[in-house]
Amino acid sequence: MLTASLTSRVATAVAHPNIALVKYWGKQPGPGNLPATPSLSLTIAALTTTTQVEAAVRDSIRIGGETRPEPKIQALVDAMRGIFELPPMAIATDNDFPTGAGLASSASGFAALVTAIDATFALRLAPSARSAWARRGSASAARSVFGGFTTLCERDADWTAAELLDKEAWPLEVVVAVTDESPKAVPSSTGMERSRATSPFYGAWCESTRTDFAIACRAVTERDFDTLARVAEHSCLKLHALMLSSRPALVYWNPATVAATDAVRKLQEAGTPTFFTIDAGPQVKAVCAPGYGEAVADALAHVAGVVRTVISGLGSGAYVR
Ligand code: DP6
């Protein structure tokens, strides 16, 4: 058992959500929350989770000012207690964007949580170790420990994330078109287990995602926007085909989601370098070549049903404030 240092007893960490360009959807059997496939993402600077962890007399978890039981957070803290001697702690976390609505709040949430626990109790974890702990809370959170373009795949017999390309090396922009801020009806973990168990396309999804991952990683390192656009839209549409072919079907889109993807296609036809991606929620994220964010946001803001747009650059990994 590793004893946590008692010198620093409170710390605050900040993390940004990330959006996958090659999606993770499906887990390996067994413990550890290991994905069935590799994934590649962008970290989003404009959306932020801030988490404070403080030594306390008993465990408590406050999200957005409301204290409530959070089994996934508690389970991760308890799992860390299997390795580190951690005292009871008060966790307080806030998102400056809608929670559980397909904007990757669990990614930034678990990345910020592990980073704050590490700092509060001076565990001195390497970023890859923080990433592996964050993954146990939510696999996409492994990626939010890092910034810019990040991969999550098997390395050194574990599944941890790593930065593939620095945010400054290719400063793409992302427009988030929000169409509905309500929490999703089916959480991702439940949805992906349903797809694994019931979709006839699940095997093809896993196999083709490995190829998409290799193509997309190469496109990022070569800064090849057109190839990245093609493979990312294909990964997104395959994910939603998988969801639609699950039983009962997982339908995360609404009419404004479809209208916003049509608007992105029109922009593409007019020569604007942009492509869309959509996660487990009805929001559309348009990734744009540097300098095109404002024009794309302007077009998406005029789509019926889009309630607001956010323009973002690429963000950094999780850090202590
Ligand atoms: C569609 O990481 O939220 O956003 O590991 O069960 O917590 P758990 O799932 P989660 O799933 C993310 C699904 C996705 C695609 C992605 O981010 O790769």
Side-chain angles (χ1 to χ4, degrees), residues 18-27 33-35 38-41 72 102-107 110 134-143 152 184 187-190 192 205 239-240 243 252 278-281 285:
N18 68 76
I19 52 159
L21 304 181
V22 174
K23 310 285 187 190
Y24 142 63
W25 194 258
K27 300 174 195 292
N33 199 30
L34 301 174
S39 54
L40 165 72
S41 66
K72 281 181 90 174
L103 289 171
S105 54
S106 68
F110 281 103
R135 184 207 72 225
R136 293 169 73 130
S138 185
S140 54
R143 301 186 308 240
L152 171 59
K184 63 187 100 166
S188 298
S189 315
T190 313
M192 60 181 80
W205 159 256
L239 169 67
H240 289 274
M243 290 165 163
Y252 287 110
I278 305 156
D279 293 288
K285 295 97 176 187

Side-chain angles (χ1 to χ4, degrees), residues 34 46 50 87 91 108 111 131 136 142 151 167 198 200 213 255 277 296 305:
L34 301 174
T50 305
I91 297 168
S108 49
S131 176
R136 293 169 73 130
T151 57
K167 63 190 168 72
T198 65
F213 178 72
T277 189
V296 170

Side-chain angles (χ1 to χ4, degrees), residues 90-155:
I91 297 168
T93 187
D94 289 291
N95 295 323
D96 65 2
F97 61 98
T99 302
L103 289 171
S105 54
S106 68
S108 49
F110 281 103
L113 175 65
V114 170
T115 302
I117 291 174
D118 178 45
T120 302
F121 302 113
L123 306 183
R124 298 193 176 85
L125 297 175
S128 61
R130 276 191 286 130
S131 176
W133 279 111
R135 184 207 72 225
R136 293 169 73 130
S138 185
S140 54
R143 301 186 308 240
S144 275
V145 169
F146 298 94
F149 299 81
T150 294
T151 57
L152 171 59
C153 57
E154 190 173 6
R155 6 175 104 80

Side-chain angles (χ1 to χ4, degrees), residues 9 53-60 81 87-91 120-121:
R9 307 292 286 177
V53 169
E54 186 170 14
V57 287
R58 73 184 67 82
D59 281 349
S60 65
R81 287 196 174 114
M89 64 185 87
I91 297 168
T120 302
F121 302 113

